[in-house]
Amino acid sequence: MQEIIIVAAAATLGNLLIGWDSSTIAGGMGYIKREFKLDPTVEGMIVSTSFFTGTIVTIFSGKVSDMIGRRPMLIGSSIMFFLSGLAMLWAPNVAFIVFSRLLDGIGIALAVTITPVYISEIAPPEIRGLLNTLPQFSCSLGMFLAYIWMFSMSLLESPSWRAMLGVVSIPSVAYFFLVVFFLPESPPWLVSKSRISEARKVLQRIRGQEDVSGELALLAEGMNPGGESTIIEEYIITPAGSTEQISNMESAKDYIKLYGPNQGVSMIAHPISSVHGGGSILALSRQGSVAGQATAGLKDPIVNLFGSMHESDHHHHHHDLAAQSIDQGSFGTHHDNLQAPLLSRQGSSVVDRSRFYKRSSSIKGSNGNLAAQGETATKATNIGGGWQLAYKAVDGKKEGGFQRLYLHADPSIGAGSQHGSFVGNSGTDLQLALERGESFQAAALVSQSVLALNKDNTIKPEAVANKGSGWGALLEPGVKRALIVGIGLQALQQAAGINGFLYYAPQILEEAGVGALLSSFGITETSASLLVNVIITFSMLPCIALSMKLMDIAGRRALLLNTIPILIVSLSVLVLRDSFPMSSIVNAAVTATCVIVYESIFCMGFGVIPNIICAEIFPTSVRGICISICALTFWISTLIVTSSFPFLLHQIGLTGVFSLFVCGCIIAWVFVYTKVPETKGMPLEVIIEFFAIGAKPGADPATMAS
């Protein structure tokens, strides 16, 4: 993983520059205002120029990145930051300052829009959340370093705001050379342009392995989501053994050969049941409790669908008991409760599964591993999160083309295993089970493949049909539902008030008397305000580090649901503090504490997760366009909050403004609970399929399970 971590960290240097910019302009505006004797209108124009520019650039950046690639956009971002710093360093008048902010806005927009997409597309599912938290960590680190720089400069006799703001040119040079000479192009984008050989080289570099045919096939499949044509099937999976032995079995006609990319026959599947993509397709969830059944109806069907997938984690401790029940042939009520959450009661026929496991076990032969008997080696294509990619011939005939299968084993059932439970979420244990010749129960998302067949009966990812790459693809049900999630998260992130805090934190703290309190230590009120911001931004870093640790363990949804209430409490204290008599020192301490807690916890959850989720839920063919729409929502919402904050502060005071932010946080929590699914550890292509399936009418597992 070392190479991919270094690449992702290098890509986030642009976010460090964003954090630096937001802090330096907030701290430097006071000096600029005094030198040029600015009125509030001109001051607001300087601050908001980058927002206006960013809004316009965002409209086109996603579509352009789909056309020319992610890497050129990052190169453009680094150039804009460099030119902006030079212009600010030399700026003789207000017009040059505005011009510098315009260039700066272009750089910010490109970095904010493209970096999460780039990292999501190069990251393996198991650490995608961690790597996509790096941009937030880099941004907060940039803010911290910038405030240290500003504080140090403020202690000088004649602080230079040009040096404060212009020094950004130095790290932007490093950013430029890293992107040009070190960062590779995104493999999914290369595959979307049929540049397969280049994509293979990039994958071999960042994965550290020669055989990347499976991931290439997966990326090609991601160009053409199944959508409404997807069905769900249930199988007993057995590693490929002797085809002669299989043909001699009484039920050989019931078995399906599954192919791995460039592997030939890799698995044998016995279908148990099939649930078609109609109105009742997603009666998929085993709700774990009465409370779960009662609350599931409040959530979007897609939330319930993703939740049913992750619910299998809670059954993991039942592995041994489930395997023991299988060995004893007991498939009663208890076994039903442990069944794969991806499968429905209605869709799973009542069958004696034990006989399938026994037949599958007989395929192995006397030595337990027929791969040693000269047959095709047993290989599954692990695509992350416990998912496997395989193919089957349509109607059993290769001439009819292939269907792709995204397989996910039931972690509660180790079918026919004599080694106890073996199916884990990472897919590693499942791979070992296949190599040992063991069978397992699995569910599969089945749809038409875009791939072709080689002459040696292996599958090649050369025939890539990029389906729905235009604006019309935005009308597909899965994409529309994903846009609701992305736009909602971006708008409510700003409704929670973060940019009001970031850009006006010095003013908030000054009104609370924090600057006056610290000035008693012999520093100016301006320096005292900057020192408080050094403390605030420093406190963000360990919280973001904790978020990085939890992002792929607890998950995105869980972090949001648990951190937003802390934001509500912090804001509520700021609202209610005037209701209680307290000294100026206590008031200053309470305000500073609430601001620190709010900004730190915000960065841990709401600050980073919207961008992560937005980079995960859209099809590759329209990912750039959709990200642009979500980013445009971010910029417009930011513009509304930052432009209205001074007016609201004057009209209703800090208490009134914080009350509005409390309402925004409450609405955000309800939205996350009802609309935002959990995407941790799932391959991007599987996430896209889930959105496409879950957007269908009648696709609520909570209602269908009853």
Side-chain angles (χ1 to χ4, degrees):
M1 295 292 183
Q2 181 177 356
E3 181 74 11
I4 188 65
I5 292 173
I6 294 174
V7 169
T12 63
L13 187 53
N15 297 83
L16 185 143
L17 300 181
I18 293 173
W20 181 282
D21 171 79
S22 65
S23 297
T24 52
I25 194 64
M29 273 308 300
Y31 298 102
I32 296 174
K33 185 177 180 180
R34 284 194 291 270
E35 178 173 331
F36 294 104
K37 299 179 175 56
L38 302 179
D39 58 51
T41 303
V42 177
E43 180 184 359
M45 181 178 66
I46 291 174
V47 173
S48 61
T49 296
S50 63
F51 293 130
F52 283 114
T53 308
T55 302
I56 295 172
V57 171
T58 297
I59 297 174
F60 306 101
S61 60
K63 182 63 176 177
V64 173
S65 75
D66 284 342
M67 295 169 58
I68 67 173
R70 319 307 190 200
R71 188 167 161 269
M73 306 297 282
L74 296 179
I75 293 174
S77 174
S78 65
I79 294 173
M80 291 299 105
F81 278 121
F82 175 74
L83 296 177
S84 169
L86 286 184
M88 192 65 77
L89 192 62
W90 185 71
N93 51 45
V94 173
F96 249 81
I97 296 175
V98 173
F99 176 68
S100 172
R101 294 291 293 164
L102 185 147
L103 296 175
D104 186 66
I106 298 175
I108 291 174
L110 294 178
V112 165
T113 306
I114 305 302
T115 302
V117 176
Y118 178 79
I119 293 177
S120 285
E121 291 183 340
I122 65 171
E126 291 82 1
I127 60 169
R128 190 175 60 239
L130 182 151
L131 294 182
N132 246 329
T133 311
L134 285 174
Q136 182 64 52
F137 186 86
S138 295
C139 183
S140 296
L141 180 62
M143 294 171 65
F144 172 64
L145 296 175
Y147 274 121
I148 290 179
W149 171 250
M150 299 287 287
F151 174 71
S152 302
M153 294 288 290
S154 71
L155 298 177
L156 299 177
E157 219 175 289
S158 300
S160 171
W161 60 265
R162 291 178 176 84
M164 291 179 180
L165 277 67
V167 74
V168 72
S169 291
I170 298 175
S172 66
V173 173
Y175 182 32
F176 174 81
F177 281 106
L178 279 173
V179 176
V180 172
F181 296 107
F182 183 69
L183 264 62
E185 183 54 86
S186 157
W189 182 84
L190 290 172
V191 171
S192 73
K193 301 302 178 183
S194 297
R195 292 160 62 176
I196 305 299
S197 59
E198 294 177 59
R200 180 181 289 108
K201 291 178 182 178
V202 173
L203 287 173
Q204 288 171 338
R205 172 191 164 188
I206 63 178
R207 298 292 183 258
Q209 61 188 43
E210 287 298 315
D211 184 10
V212 293
S213 57
E215 188 164 0
L216 274 175
L218 176 66
L219 296 180
E221 296 294 358
M223 299 300 111
N224 190 7
E228 295 182 1
S229 65
T230 301
I231 63 173
I232 296 178
E233 296 179 345
E234 183 181 3
Y235 297 103
I236 301 300
I237 303 293
T238 302
S242 167
T243 53
E244 180 179 353
Q245 281 187 319
I246 296 173
S247 63
N248 290 334
M249 294 180 64
E250 180 184 356
S251 59
K253 61 182 180 180
D254 297 329
Y255 282 85
I256 300 171
K257 296 177 183 179
L258 300 184
Y259 298 79
N262 292 331
Q263 294 171 10
V265 179
S266 63
M267 291 176 278
I268 304 297
H270 182 98
I272 296 177
S273 64
S274 176
V275 185
H276 288 271
S280 62
I281 181 173
L282 294 180
L284 303 174
S285 176
R286 291 282 189 271
Q287 300 301 329
S289 63
V290 175
Q293 294 180 8
T295 59
L298 301 175
K299 304 173 189 174
D300 190 285
I302 288 179
V303 175
N304 290 327
L305 172 59
F306 278 83
S308 72
M309 188 66 257
H310 295 290
E311 190 181 74
S312 61
D313 296 346
H314 300 299
H315 297 307
H316 190 75
H317 65 280
H318 291 301
H319 287 182
D320 294 335
L321 181 59
Q324 187 178 28
S325 298
I326 294 167
D327 291 337
Q328 295 170 355
S330 57
F331 293 91
T333 305
H334 180 66
H335 175 264
D336 276 345
N337 290 333
L338 292 174
Q339 206 170 315
L342 199 62
L343 308 172
S344 68
R345 281 184 210 276
Q346 295 89 337
S348 298
S349 56
V350 181
V351 294
D352 182 6
R353 289 174 173 80
S354 58
R355 62 188 178 94
F356 297 138
Y357 295 129
K358 290 173 182 176
R359 284 178 183 168
S360 299
S361 299
S362 68
I363 297 175
K364 293 187 292 183
S366 58
N367 66 348
N369 188 349
L370 286 172
Q373 301 178 15
E375 298 294 331
T376 304
T378 298
K379 292 182 181 179
T381 305
N382 179 19
I383 58 176
W387 290 84
Q388 307 286 326
L389 173 63
Y391 297 88
K392 70 174 182 176
V394 177
D395 297 326
K397 299 178 181 179
K398 298 172 186 175
E399 295 78 9
F402 280 82
Q403 289 182 317
R404 64 170 175 256
L405 289 81
Y406 294 134
L407 290 165
H408 192 278
D410 180 358
S412 65
I413 300 175
S417 173
Q418 297 178 353
H419 300 273
S421 62
F422 58 85
V423 182
N425 288 331
S426 67
T428 303
D429 295 337
L430 189 150
Q431 182 70 39
L432 292 175
L434 286 170
E435 292 173 358
R436 291 199 296 260
E438 296 172 347
S439 305
F440 59 91
Q441 180 175 327
L445 300 176
V446 183
S447 55
Q448 186 64 38
S449 172
V450 300
L451 305 187
L453 185 68
N454 288 319
K455 293 181 180 179
D456 59 354
N457 290 337
T458 59
I459 294 172
K460 60 180 181 179
E462 307 296 335
V464 180
N466 195 338
K467 173 187 173 183
S469 58
W471 291 95
L474 302 182
L475 300 178
E476 294 181 5
V479 177
K480 286 195 294 184
R481 190 65 64 89
L483 279 171
I484 291 173
V485 173
I487 291 173
L489 283 174
Q490 295 291 353
L492 291 171
Q493 182 193 56
Q494 298 307 309
I498 184 60
N499 271 301
F501 274 87
L502 289 179
Y503 287 94
Y504 295 96
Q507 183 177 345
I508 293 172
L509 295 171
E510 184 178 345
E511 288 194 15
V514 175
L517 178 63
L518 291 178
S519 64
S520 62
F521 293 97
I523 57 178
T524 65
E525 288 195 19
T526 301
S527 296
S529 178
L530 291 172
L531 179 59
V532 170
N533 280 287
V534 170
I535 298 171
I536 292 173
T537 52
F538 176 76
S539 66
M540 294 179 184
L541 299 179
C543 289
I544 299 173
L546 179 60
S547 178
M548 293 171 67
K549 177 71 174 177
L550 296 176
M551 196 64 67
D552 294 307
I553 300 175
R556 295 82 157 123
R557 175 181 167 86
L559 279 175
L560 285 175
L561 292 177
N562 285 281
T563 55
I564 292 177
I566 300 176
L567 304 182
I568 295 173
V569 171
S570 300
L571 291 169
S572 298
V573 171
L574 290 174
V575 170
L576 298 174
R577 61 186 172 140
D578 293 336
S579 303
F580 301 94
M582 60 181 74
S583 65
S584 59
I585 295 177
V586 173
N587 181 51
V590 168
T591 301
T593 300
C594 289
V595 170
I596 290 173
V597 170
Y598 175 90
E599 294 195 13
S600 300
I601 297 300
F602 188 95
C603 288
M604 182 178 176
F606 223 160
V608 62
I609 293 175
N611 283 341
I612 293 178
I613 291 179
C614 287
E616 293 176 327
I617 60 179
F618 301 113
T620 306
S621 56
V622 292
R623 188 169 291 143
I625 298 176
C626 294
I627 289 294
S628 286
I629 294 173
C630 294
L632 182 62
T633 303
F634 166 83
W635 283 103
I636 293 175
S637 302
T638 299
L639 188 61
I640 292 172
V641 171
T642 52
S643 60
S644 63
F645 191 91
F647 173 78
L648 292 173
L649 198 63
H650 177 73
Q651 294 293 322
I652 58 179
L654 274 176
T655 300
V657 172
F658 291 147
S659 298
L660 293 178
F661 291 161
V662 169
C663 294
C665 286
I666 293 173
I667 295 172
W669 190 93
V670 173
F671 179 82
V672 171
Y673 181 79
T674 57
K675 296 292 184 182
V676 179
E678 181 54 76
T679 58
K680 67 173 181 178
M682 298 177 68
L684 297 180
E685 292 73 16
V686 175
I687 293 173
I688 294 164
E689 292 284 355
F690 268 53
F691 264 94
I693 298 172
K696 298 176 183 177
D700 192 344
T703 58
M704 295 304 300
S706 60

